[in-house]
Amino acid sequence: MSKTILALDKVLPIKTLKGIRDYIPKVKFSYITLLDGGLEYLKEVYKLGWEEVIFDLKLADIDSTMVGIVSRLTSFSDSFISHSFIGFEGALDTLSSFLSKEGKGLYLVLSMSHKGWNDSFYPYLKDIARHVNPKGFVVGATKPEMIKVVRNDFPEKLIISPGVGVQGALFGDALCNGADYEIVGRSIYSSTDPVKTTRELVAKQEVRVNECKEVSENRK
């Protein structure tokens, strides 16, 4: 199974998703899927048996509001994504505690994939992350140096990387730089044949990762 997460920002037929599920182990929902598909659609997607279903709501509010949101979604989700800049006390402390009690994971955004993100805030975000001790982090695949930094600072945490494909990062490069999973959305769900495209992209990712391994071994 590939090291890919499907960013499902478009409602696709369940039959199509079953085909994609043969190649991709995890899926990530956004507000778009929640609004366009509704809860019943998300429940059907959840039943397909993914290794992990992540709600990417980019939570950024006070603790009671965030807990109120995730508590309505925990029955068909495994993890949630929150911004880290909102701070610990009165925000991420309570959210993290609640999700832990529910047996759910929390990912914190440390570096987004778009050009306008400012990585000079990273020292502050890193400090917040150490207080929260989440399941993992979101670091843009378009920021290979930041992936390396986060991997060095948090060697035991998962790193999931969006921005592969349409935003410019090449398939496999984030993995080569230390990410655990690459998040792919538009390249798949905008395709005329999402299952075929998934199969091709997964193969491309595998080739690139193997190339990186060969280069690394040759340097030893």
Side-chain angles (χ1 to χ4, degrees), residues 59-63 66 82-96 106 108 124-125 127-129 131-132:
L59 297 163
D61 215 312
I62 62 171
D63 51 9
M66 293 191 294
S82 172
H83 272 296
S84 47
F85 62 74
I86 55 177
F88 184 69
E89 188 174 356
L92 291 173
D93 55 349
T94 306
L95 176 65
S96 177
L106 176 63
L108 294 181
Y124 164 70
L125 302 182
D127 183 60
I128 297 299
H131 279 83
V132 177

Side-chain angles (χ1 to χ4, degrees), residues 107-127:
Y107 293 91
L108 294 181
V109 177
L110 291 186
S111 181
M112 293 186 72
S113 55
H114 65 290
K115 294 180 180 179
W117 182 265
N118 188 345
D119 281 315
S120 67
F121 294 111
Y122 177 70
Y124 164 70
L125 302 182
K126 178 175 69 172
D127 183 60

